[in-house]
Amino acid sequence: MSEEVRVGVFVCDCGSNIAGFVNVPEVVEYARGLDHVTFADEGKWSCSVDYLARLQESIKEHHLNRVVIASCTPRTHEPLFKQTVQQAGLNPYLLEFVSVREQVSWVHMGEQERATQKAKELVKMGVAKAVLLEEGEEINCP
């Protein structure tokens, strides 16, 4: 890699869906200490128009070249975040998605300490993968 990897981690609390079971500020603080993480932030509703604009501003302001989103399922939200990072000038293939709602808060309801620890581990893995991501492009088959 020729350029310094600068990862931004954005952890959504999704109202009570995630924050009701995961200590999101603790996960964000943990992410700040990971190698290559330049910026980490907690979003109340990361898929909201206001927060998506904030995410774009953060990418530009902190010169991020990789993004980790820790929130709901990528099945419904990944296209939205890919479009958002692309609008901020970042290749959408430099986005890594961590499904904290489905893999953590819904699995470990009533176990906040365990859920928080698992969220930290998933974010750590997401950052490790993001460091290795390379730019990609869409291929349209005839």
Side-chain angles (χ1 to χ4, degrees), residues 8-138:
V9 177
F10 300 87
V11 184
C12 182
D13 66 18
C14 196
S16 61
N17 268 312
I18 294 173
F21 308 102
V22 174
N23 183 333
V24 175
E26 187 177 324
V27 175
V28 171
E29 191 58 37
Y30 174 78
R32 287 187 179 122
L34 296 174
D35 287 346
H36 303 287
V37 173
T38 304
F39 180 76
D41 191 40
E42 175 181 357
K44 191 71 167 170
W45 299 100
S46 294
C47 59
S48 70
V49 172
D50 290 342
Y51 193 82
L52 293 173
R54 181 172 157 181
L55 190 148
Q56 288 180 352
E57 290 170 13
S58 296
I59 289 170
K60 293 173 186 175
E61 179 183 344
H62 299 282
H63 309 287
L64 304 176
N65 54 25
R66 304 290 188 285
V67 172
V68 174
I69 302 289
S71 64
C72 300
T73 177
R75 185 175 42 165
T76 57
H77 289 75
E78 190 172 34
L80 176 65
F81 286 107
K82 277 189 169 188
Q83 177 184 1
T84 300
V85 299
Q86 188 170 30
Q87 290 171 344
L90 189 63
N91 185 289
Y93 289 91
L94 299 176
L95 167 71
E96 179 60 22
F97 213 96
V98 177
S99 180
V100 177
R101 186 183 68 184
E102 283 79 356
Q103 294 181 7
V104 179
S105 64
W106 285 359
V107 177
H108 300 290
M109 290 182 176
E111 301 175 297
Q112 186 178 35
E113 187 175 320
R114 189 172 183 189
T116 301
Q117 184 59 37
K118 185 174 179 182
K120 289 178 187 179
E121 291 169 6
L122 290 175
V123 166
K124 182 179 180 179
M125 287 184 267
V127 169
K129 184 176 176 187
V131 168
L132 302 173
L133 293 175
E134 297 179 5
E135 290 188 357
E137 60 184 71
E138 294 289 324

